[in-house]
Amino acid sequence: MANETDTDRTAAKKGGGGQQLSKSLKPRHLSMIAIAGVIGAGLFVGSGAAIQQAGPGILVAYSAAGLLVILVMRMLGEMAAAHPETGSFSTYADKALGRWAGLSIGWLYAWFWIIVLGIEATAGAAIVHRWVPEVDQWVWALLLMVLLTGTNVASVKMFGEFEFWFASIKVAAIAVFLLLGVVAILGLMPGVAAPGLSNLTGNGGFFPSGSGAVLGGVLVVVFSFFGAEIATIAAGESENPVDAVKKAVKSTVWRILVFYIGSIAVVVTLLPWNSASVAKSPYVAVIELYGIPGAGTIMDIIVLTSVLSCLNSGLYTASRMLFSLSERGDAPPAWSKISVRGVPRAAVLSSTVVGFITVGLNYIAPDTVFLLLVNTSGAIALLVWLVIAVSQLILRRRMGTDAASRLSLKMWAFPYLTWLAIGAIVALLAGMAILERTRMELLMSLLLAGVVVGIGLWKYRGDRSAAHPVADASVSAEVKNDEAETLAPSGTAAVLK
């Protein structure tokens, strides 16, 4: 039978144990997971260094990076809405470029989030240790890892609930921050003089360090946006994955505009960009300007929430990618076994074990082994985005005009904006090679990517099965089965699992 039936798709999602991934994520979970993927601790902590580098012009850097992420998410959304997959872009790379590509980018992506576990667990432990110094910091890191491992192993609904509340706290905090910021900028806050445009145009102007610093700032801030794609992975465990993907992708625009660009605009409007307080912690500096007591503690709570959110979603994302790789024969078979509660526990625990190791290395050898591991993940975000863009370009071109017209979520101005995104990503990779502070990260990431790609090419040498045109079958998730019979060419169902 040429088309892929609902029964076939259901069977394809079963793990090695015969169980299925749980479909217990609600629309509210997916909405907050999408938001949480964008708002990370980097916004609250790392933005100070970016502002110091480019001044008020950092708003241009955030806007440029945000535009790139919006384009990437639109391309990913087109593919995910047409064919929701737990493996997301890794499975699309399978279809577009070959099995070696799906294996390579899937393992690189899982590795990125596993490394993040070590970074975030250490960051969270440092905050809690400041509150309770009697307990060693490594103990707190261990406890945080155990806590979030428990939520992920228990059920996907528990993961969703934790992420919902973590994201709610972050959203509420930024909403209050923005509201008070607008009040202060308008001169309506007692004790705070309206700054006007003095902080934007004074102290060297809007571009005090020149346009080059803004371009360098893009490299600093672009990685803050990585994580938006988690929603397309989690959508596979929702009740209505297609609608969930559409809503997540379409809301990316306003989330970036409001949460990132809006909050950074408040900072650089209310405070001089070159003040020491902005460099240390811009959000704490603004909260102190509002006259709110305990600004440092408030921000610690918000950052800790972001860290826990990142730990939670990072473990979830790494485990689901390992699960998908296992289903496709690119990881140990045990990782695709699913518990009676619909959780790939072996994949979760495997991710956790490596995460525990990275946490230990961060305490034992932070400046050698752990730094080396972190550097290997430095450019993976850009490599993932590049694969997404190239996959969308190839898969869309394999469709006929009629099939493309049936897509309910399309990339804008195809193929021009797709090529623009590809060019921008390549330019950022070139920028990492030029800048001395990012050159090592790029080289180590490319070295790791070279090894993984080599393994993929060796494993699938001579295998052309994944290079078959997917043509109109890419829209099989959005059309009725009787329509798919006429749309899908013979053999397509074997390509789309």
Side-chain angles (χ1 to χ4, degrees):
M1 187 173 177
N3 67 301
E4 181 189 43
T5 66
D6 290 338
T7 303
D8 293 332
R9 283 194 294 271
T10 299
K13 294 183 183 299
K14 287 186 178 181
Q19 299 291 332
Q20 285 184 276
L21 287 175
S22 173
K23 299 289 185 180
S24 54
L25 289 178
K26 306 293 183 183
R28 64 182 179 89
H29 293 143
L30 266 296
S31 176
M32 283 302 182
I33 287 171
I35 293 174
V38 176
I39 308 172
L43 171 63
F44 303 110
V45 180
S47 55
I51 293 172
Q52 286 288 297
Q53 177 177 325
I58 198 63
L59 287 171
V60 177
Y62 270 101
S63 300
L67 175 62
L68 176 58
V69 174
I70 290 169
L71 294 179
V72 170
M73 283 299 295
R74 188 75 183 189
M75 289 184 280
L76 180 57
E78 178 186 293
M79 297 184 288
H83 195 77
E85 287 277 2
T86 300
S88 188
F89 51 84
S90 176
T91 58
Y92 310 140
D94 265 3
K95 301 175 182 97
L97 300 168
R99 295 297 305 278
W100 65 270
L103 178 153
S104 303
I105 204 64
W107 273 103
L108 289 173
Y109 187 72
W111 175 247
F112 174 90
W113 286 109
I114 288 171
I115 291 298
V116 165
L117 296 180
I119 298 173
E120 298 295 338
T122 304
I127 294 174
V128 182
H129 180 65
R130 287 202 295 269
W131 298 340
V132 189
E134 296 80 10
V135 180
D136 290 341
Q137 187 170 321
W138 70 267
V139 175
W140 289 118
L142 178 65
L143 290 175
L144 292 179
M145 285 288 291
V146 169
L147 171 65
L148 275 305
T149 299
T151 65
N152 276 267
V153 168
S155 69
V156 69
K157 185 176 181 180
M158 184 172 289
F159 155 76
E161 284 297 330
F162 267 73
E163 201 62 16
F164 174 82
W165 291 108
F166 287 151
S168 297
I169 293 172
K170 290 189 288 186
V171 169
I174 294 181
V176 172
F177 180 87
L178 289 172
L179 178 61
L180 294 177
V182 171
V183 171
I185 290 171
L186 295 176
L188 302 177
M189 181 174 290
V192 179
L197 300 178
S198 60
N199 291 322
L200 294 174
T201 58
N203 303 308
F206 194 75
F207 299 105
S209 302
S211 58
V214 175
L215 294 176
V218 175
L219 277 175
V220 175
V221 305
V222 71
F223 298 102
S224 299
F225 292 107
F226 197 52
E229 72 291 335
I230 293 175
T232 65
I233 295 175
E237 294 178 75
S238 67
E239 297 171 338
N240 193 333
V242 174
D243 286 346
V245 167
K246 292 177 185 176
K247 290 178 181 178
V249 171
K250 290 179 178 180
S251 63
T252 298
V253 176
W254 69 262
R255 291 200 308 266
I256 289 176
L257 288 175
V258 174
F259 295 131
Y260 268 89
I261 300 175
S263 60
I264 295 297
V266 167
V267 172
V268 296
T269 301
L270 288 177
L271 296 171
W273 65 269
N274 53 356
S275 67
S277 59
V278 169
K280 183 179 179 181
S281 181
Y283 289 82
V284 170
V286 173
I287 293 173
E288 289 176 340
L289 179 68
Y290 294 159
I292 299 175
T297 301
I298 293 172
M299 188 50 57
D300 273 348
I301 294 172
I302 295 172
V303 172
L304 179 61
T305 301
S306 296
V307 166
L308 294 177
S309 173
C310 192
L311 268 175
N312 193 40
S313 59
L315 184 53
Y316 170 85
T317 306
S319 66
R320 292 323 187 263
M321 186 58 72
L322 293 180
F323 165 81
S324 177
L325 288 167
S326 176
E327 273 201 316
R328 288 175 275 155
D330 294 334
W335 293 356
S336 61
K337 292 183 178 179
I338 302 175
S339 71
V340 293
R341 303 195 70 177
V343 176
R345 289 183 178 175
V348 173
L349 294 176
S350 297
S351 303
T352 302
V353 168
V354 181
F356 279 124
I357 293 173
T358 58
V359 170
L361 290 173
N362 200 2
Y363 288 103
I364 297 171
D367 298 323
T368 53
V369 180
F370 184 73
L371 181 60
L372 178 67
L373 296 179
V374 171
N375 283 337
T376 61
S377 67
I380 288 178
L382 293 177
L383 297 179
V384 167
W385 291 345
L386 184 61
V387 167
I388 290 172
V390 172
S391 296
Q392 188 268 338
L393 180 68
I394 293 173
L395 293 179
R396 170 71 89 84
R397 282 184 166 175
R398 286 180 184 169
M399 291 183 185
T401 304
D402 184 55
S405 67
R406 294 174 182 266
L407 291 170
S408 61
L409 186 67
K410 298 180 184 179
M411 177 59 182
W412 305 298
F414 179 84
Y416 307 108
L417 288 183
T418 297
W419 277 114
L420 176 64
I422 291 173
I425 296 167
V426 172
L428 287 172
L429 289 169
M432 289 189 71
I434 294 171
L435 294 180
E436 185 176 353
R437 68 174 182 274
T438 57
R439 189 177 303 142
M440 182 57 66
E441 293 180 20
L442 176 64
L443 293 177
M444 294 304 299
S445 297
L446 291 179
L447 177 61
L448 176 63
V451 171
V452 178
V453 168
I455 293 173
L457 289 172
W458 178 83
K459 180 176 180 179
Y460 291 107
R461 60 193 183 281
D463 181 3
R464 304 297 181 193
S465 62
H468 292 169
V470 298
D472 299 349
S474 293
V475 298
S476 62
E478 296 182 290
V479 297
K480 297 178 181 179
N481 286 334
D482 56 346
E483 292 174 328
E485 187 70 49
T486 60
L487 286 173
S490 177
T492 303
V495 178
L496 296 175
K497 297 192 303 179

